[in-house]
Amino acid sequence: MSAAGKRVSHESARAHVTGAALYTDDLCGRFPRLLHAWPVTAPHAHALITELDVSPALDVPGVVATLTASDVPGENDTGANRRDEPLFPAEVMYHSQPVAWVLGEDLDAAQRGAARVRADYQPLPAIVTLRDAVARESFHSGPIRLQRGDANEALAASPHSLEGELEIGGQEHFYLETHAAIAWLDESGGVALHSSTQHPSETQEVVARVLGVPRNAVTVECLRMGGAFGGKEVQANPWAAVAALGARKTGRPVRVRLTRALDMALSGKRHPFLARYRVGFDDDGRLLSLLATLYSDAGWSLDLSEPVMGRALFHLDNAYFLPAMRAAGYVSKTHKTSQTAFRGFGAPQGMLLVEEILDRVARRLALAPEVVRERNFYREGQTTHYGQAVKDAGRIPAIWRRLLESSRFAARRAEIDRFNRTHPHRKRGLAITPVKFGISFTATVFNQGGALVLVYRDGSVQVNHGGTEMGQGLFTKIGQIAADALGLPLNAIRLMPTRTDKVPNTSASAASASTDLNGAAVMDACARIRERLAPVAAVMLGCAPEAVCFAGGFVSVKGDDLGRIPFGHVTEAAYRQRIPLFAEGYYRTPEIHFDARLGHGHPFYYFAFGAAATEVEVDGFTGQYKVRRADVLEDVGDSLSPLIDRGQIEGGFVQGLGWLTLEELLWDGEGRVATAGASTYKLPSWSELPEEFHVDFLERATEPGVVMGSKAVGEPPLMLAISAREALRDAIAAYGPGGEIPLASPLTPERVFRAIEDQRAKLCTFASPPTRVVRA
Ligand code: MTE
Ligand code: HPA
Ligand code: MOS
């Protein structure tokens, strides 16, 4: 009868598909006299504002007010981690940066008003490429370093070595719901907001900062988001601040909603990376030393770029033991949108590098990549390059072997080789790659969660917690947890919108940890309520409080269902005995610590493991490809919600596939996002899904110490898509003689085609027989 582990649909699934589910901007209709905001955007990537005259906007019929720096009663800054984000800048730092806002009776008036604002600029030299930033040493901070042993010495002593460079593209979040906020004044003079934010407490903090009021004067609510993917971890804040400022100035409710084009031009993306590396290895392909320098393109402000780089460095090992390594990460400053959190949070870039390296090592030695990968796996008892023991390291080879078997890897390998021998213009490729992803915010302080559970006299329940719902199924899982903890059916639990006046000082819903943190806090609150109800029920049942059992909406004596009492009768009795029926809950992750100075510690509570085997087919005339089949085996612990977990795995894989193979962000020479719409930015859709998609969970994988034995699932599966990139490389190799094939990312059809051409050219030049790959 337990709700946890049951295959329940997303709690809003029906509302999602019928359109009944409301998002921030859908709430506009509730606000009479609502004003609409539109920005005045700068036409330069870098410039001084020499003159700004907003008064002509006020001549436009329907324009009610303008917003500039002089309207800010508090601090003119919305930076989350450094005060480096003026809301109204004196110096333009990226193309299309808002320099002022116009409020109108309708959007059209605001837009026409914004067009009338007179702004003059003195253009300044702009850095719009990562390579340019690196060459000029334009860095926000750093470098951040991690090392183990003497990597130089280990490299010198290695029988083989390689060096190279890897370029990794960014990614647009493309949440279906663009950034949105509505702000209004409440009767106390405070400001209330609906905001599409992953971090209501930080949105509250930033709004309070800009308004110059204490945080208790600001209330932020997030009903749900239409996707966030990290893009709303800190970047919801400026839009909320504009709405709040407008409400404060006019006394009227104000709505900010970015159009898709604005959202793509103004909001941050996944960080593009450039990596330079040297690696030493032995005859068997075992890595002996890795030296790496990572550069991220962070854009104009710091944002979360330091922890993103930190997570990239933490994941340079992926699932592999690096006996000696030294890495430095530089967070580069460019005149572009401020790149931000995106599913995986730097780990995808770090892992991509080691997977690129292992493939080169394998091809250099004419070994099968899957053989070299397996040889490098962590073994039980080994520690990472930052000193954390890899608990359950044995799960990596266990998942690997099971997946090789269930995907019929060896047999398909042989079939593919046969296919490729008989098809000169079409080649298939197959690859398997692992994922090991650290769960916990790397900044230890964020690893806490809170809850407030309210039970009404009739036994119905409202659950408040610090997490936000962005489609990932957090509320579904929390509902299941609360139902089990109180012994109630799922439909007795109501999940309330996330509000800063219910649970304060919350962390962002991020790092895949929301269920671990908030779910445990809800468990804690429910346990308190059970403890208070047990003595009441014990008297009613004539048993000891310890013998009281809550299940299925009833309270009974353990092992005896006959005399059971409806839960609502017990709560009513408790009320009459003046026993409180609501409780707060709290959780902090134990054991984690990290010394940033030494680069050493135990930053992750546990690791999420998985692997994927993916097969592709590539057309030699065009470089176009399709994913024929993907097999995934993911360690989700004891799945709390199998349908939700499966959705996260499938969605994460496909989003990773988009990042690695289709989605290419381009900026023009002026620093403008050239791919600011779905017409120029290719997203994965129905037709790009794997034709066959097998998703399985690792069995008997209970994770002790985590809520109901489950494991986080939000981000790790994204990196399973690296198997598709490696499969493409495998197919490309089949067009030529073999050998190393370094590839930039994303591997768009265009790049695939060029890589095939390179392979064909090699065949002509050397006319050598193809390298025979040893698969042992
Ligand atoms: N799934 C959906 N449908 N929409 C999202 O915005 N965000 C991802 C992931 N899965 C996201 C998603 C990201 S970046 C994170 S960190 C986690 O969900 C956050 O939620 P969790 O902590 O509940 O896993
Ligand atoms: N992951 C995701 N978001 C974060 C982190 C992290 O490690 N640290 C701060 N925000
Ligand atoms: Mo996810 S990138 O941690 O919001």
Side-chain angles (χ1 to χ4, degrees):
M1 278 262 272
S2 128
K6 244 173 85 179
R7 297 167 57 83
V8 299
S9 304
H10 191 285
E11 57 39 60
S12 292
R14 190 174 290 270
H16 286 156
V17 297
T18 58
L22 300 180
Y23 299 86
T24 293
D25 199 58
D26 296 326
L27 305 172
C28 280
R30 301 182 181 179
F31 296 91
R33 303 184 66 238
L34 182 76
L35 293 175
H36 305 254
W38 192 257
V40 178
T41 55
H44 304 282
H46 190 201
L48 286 178
I49 303 172
T50 50
E51 204 203 311
L52 182 64
D53 180 8
V54 290
S55 57
L58 295 168
D59 299 337
V60 174
V63 168
V64 173
T66 58
L67 297 174
T68 63
S70 62
D71 296 305
V72 178
E75 262 184 75
N76 178 22
D77 195 282
T78 61
N81 292 302
R82 189 186 268 175
R83 295 292 207 268
D84 62 350
E85 292 188 17
L87 187 56
F88 300 99
E91 179 180 346
V92 173
M93 292 296 284
Y94 67 98
H95 198 286
S96 304
Q97 182 173 16
V99 298
W101 289 75
V102 177
L103 307 179
E105 297 286 355
D106 53 39
L107 198 56
D108 188 53
Q111 287 173 339
R112 280 184 296 117
R116 294 281 290 277
V117 167
R118 267 206 315 273
D120 283 328
Y121 302 90
Q122 180 194 326
L124 298 170
I127 299 178
V128 295
T129 68
L130 177 53
R131 282 184 190 276
D132 196 13
V134 172
R136 299 210 223 162
E137 300 189 356
S138 167
F139 302 129
H140 282 288
S141 62
I144 305 170
R145 293 185 193 280
L146 283 182
Q147 71 171 67
R148 163 154 65 193
D150 189 330
N152 274 315
E153 201 173 279
L155 183 68
S158 297
H160 308 273
S161 68
L162 270 176
E163 62 177 61
E165 215 176 68
L166 175 63
E167 260 183 52
I168 304 174
Q171 187 177 21
E172 163 62 38
H173 299 84
F174 224 103
Y175 24 63
L176 291 180
E177 178 207 22
T178 52
H179 279 294
I182 303 171
W184 66 100
L185 297 187
D186 64 30
E187 149 277 351
S188 74
V191 174
L193 295 104
H194 287 296
S195 168
S196 183
T197 174
Q198 286 172 254
H199 199 169
S201 288
E202 192 179 78
T203 302
Q204 173 194 29
E205 177 205 329
V206 168
V207 166
R209 184 200 305 170
V210 170
L211 295 183
V213 298
R215 291 182 201 178
N216 72 354
V218 179
T219 310
V220 176
E221 170 170 342
C222 178
L223 178 53
R224 62 163 66 73
M225 285 166 280
F229 306 110
K232 298 169 182 172
E233 184 171 337
V234 304
Q235 299 216 350
N237 301 338
W239 325 118
V242 167
L245 206 55
R248 157 94 190 224
K249 180 168 181 182
T250 62
R252 292 174 61 174
V254 174
R255 159 207 191 210
V256 175
R257 185 188 78 87
L258 303 188
T259 58
R260 178 65 62 189
L262 263 187
D263 194 295
M264 289 185 81
L266 305 188
S267 72
K269 300 154 200 331
R270 185 189 295 286
H271 292 71
F273 267 60
L274 173 66
R276 295 185 173 138
Y277 62 90
R278 280 187 291 160
V279 58
F281 51 99
D282 67 14
D283 295 337
D284 297 328
R286 283 196 186 81
L287 298 182
L288 301 174
S289 173
L290 171 65
L291 286 131
T293 310
L294 308 186
Y295 303 94
S296 67
D297 182 345
W300 71 285
S301 72
L302 187 62
D303 194 276
L304 288 162
S305 299
E306 280 175 346
V308 166
M309 179 57 83
R311 193 170 273 272
L313 295 170
F314 281 134
H315 287 81
L316 274 178
D317 59 343
N318 191 10
Y320 313 108
F321 178 63
L322 305 175
M325 66 84 71
R326 202 177 75 193
Y330 293 83
V331 173
S332 310
K333 183 172 179 173
T334 55
H335 296 101
K336 287 168 151 176
T337 55
S338 186
Q339 316 323 351
T340 192
F342 196 140
R343 204 173 196 171
F345 204 77
Q349 293 94 325
M351 286 185 192
L352 200 65
L353 178 61
V354 73
E355 296 299 347
E356 171 85 9
I357 287 171
L358 284 174
D359 187 90
R360 283 193 68 188
V361 166
R363 291 181 198 279
R364 166 74 63 96
L365 297 172
L367 293 168
E370 66 274 12
V371 170
V372 169
R373 288 194 164 93
E374 189 169 355
R375 283 180 185 163
N376 281 284
F377 282 161
Y378 276 111
R379 277 170 235 294
E380 211 69 65
Q382 287 179 328
T383 61
T384 63
H385 50 295
Y386 45 90
Q388 172 160 354
V390 185
K391 186 171 80 78
D392 291 328
R395 285 193 188 179
I396 302 168
I399 288 172
W400 192 258
R401 281 194 289 270
R402 224 165 289 177
L403 188 63
L404 285 173
E405 211 172 285
S406 67
S407 66
R408 294 180 46 251
F409 194 91
R412 281 165 61 207
R413 179 81 262 171
E415 287 162 23
I416 286 170
D417 289 344
R418 268 200 304 280
F419 177 93
N420 288 347
R421 274 197 299 275
T422 52
H423 291 77
H425 305 302
R426 275 192 296 151
K427 303 287 181 192
R428 291 181 179 167
L430 177 65
I432 176 169
T433 57
V435 168
K436 165 184 130 292
F437 186 86
I439 301 298
S440 291
F441 286 94
T442 53
T444 303
V445 58
F446 297 133
N447 295 289
Q448 50 177 317
L452 177 65
V453 175
L454 314 180
V455 180
Y456 293 89
R457 282 165 63 181
D458 66 355
S460 66
V461 179
Q462 286 185 346
V463 174
N464 301 276
H465 59 87
T468 55
E469 176 62 39
M470 56 195 97
Q472 87 277 40
L474 171 65
F475 280 33
T476 311
K477 289 184 170 181
I478 299 261
Q480 290 172 285
I481 290 167
D484 279 4
L486 294 172
L488 291 173
L490 213 43
N491 61 14
I493 310 289
R494 179 167 171 210
L495 271 296
M496 303 307 289
T498 314
R499 289 181 61 117
T500 55
D501 58 356
K502 291 290 179 60
V503 181
N505 312 318
T506 54
S507 298
S509 291
S512 305
S514 308
T515 304
D516 294 15
L517 300 175
N518 300 290
V522 167
M523 286 269 264
D524 180 45
C526 292
R528 273 170 225 258
I529 291 169
R530 254 187 358 246
E531 269 164 37
R532 291 184 201 148
L533 291 178
V536 177
V539 172
M540 296 167 84
L541 291 161
C543 68
E546 304 78 59
V548 170
C549 165
F550 296 80
F554 293 92
V555 186
S556 60
V557 183
K558 224 167 267 168
D560 172 17
D561 243 15
L562 284 178
R564 61 186 199 172
I565 312 169
F567 183 78
H569 292 191
V570 179
T571 51
E572 175 65 21
Y575 167 75
R576 292 188 170 279
Q577 293 170 39
R578 296 188 294 169
I579 288 167
L581 289 173
F582 63 101
E584 93 274 11
Y586 181 78
Y587 175 80
R588 73 172 79 83
T589 312
E591 292 168 31
I592 47 175
H593 56 89
F594 187 71
D595 184 330
R597 215 171 25 87
L598 297 176
H600 201 271
H602 189 113
F604 303 116
Y605 191 39
Y606 62 89
F607 295 104
F609 301 109
T614 300
E615 180 181 334
V616 299
E617 183 175 314
V618 176
D619 180 314
F621 294 115
T622 61
Q624 281 187 325
Y625 43 73
K626 57 186 175 188
V627 178
R628 287 170 46 80
R629 175 170 168 179
D631 292 66
V632 168
L633 185 57
E634 182 71 15
D635 171 15
V636 297
D638 286 336
S639 177
L640 243 175
S641 205
L643 289 181
I644 296 291
D645 286 350
R646 170 179 275 269
Q648 286 294 294
I649 293 165
E650 291 177 351
F653 183 93
V654 172
Q655 195 164 38
L657 194 64
W659 170 53
L660 291 167
T661 68
L662 298 171
E663 301 175 41
E664 188 170 30
L665 282 170
L666 297 172
W667 281 267
D668 68 14
E670 309 281 291
R672 186 182 337 194
V673 179
T675 46
S679 57
T680 47
Y681 186 74
K682 174 73 183 137
L683 292 156
S685 62
W686 196 250
S687 48
E688 281 78 28
L689 295 184
E691 289 172 357
E692 227 182 290
F693 204 168
H694 302 274
V695 173
D696 283 311
F697 303 148
L698 183 68
E699 285 171 356
R700 291 181 299 282
T702 313
E703 187 66 20
V706 187
V707 63
M708 304 189 112
S710 68
K711 269 188 167 184
V713 70
E715 295 165 284
L718 182 129
M719 288 145 277
L720 296 171
I722 295 174
S723 59
R725 171 180 155 87
E726 294 308 322
L728 284 170
R729 193 187 332 247
D730 190 52
I732 292 165
Y735 283 96
E740 294 153 50
I741 309 174
L743 291 167
S745 182
L747 211 38
T748 54
E750 208 176 329
R751 276 217 181 86
V752 170
F753 180 72
R754 283 200 218 110
I756 291 172
E757 287 287 276
D758 290 347
Q759 286 303 304
R760 288 177 176 141
K762 272 201 234 168
L763 270 185
C764 302
T765 323
F766 301 112
S768 57
T771 318
R772 281 196 73 81
V773 166
V774 184
R775 292 180 193 277

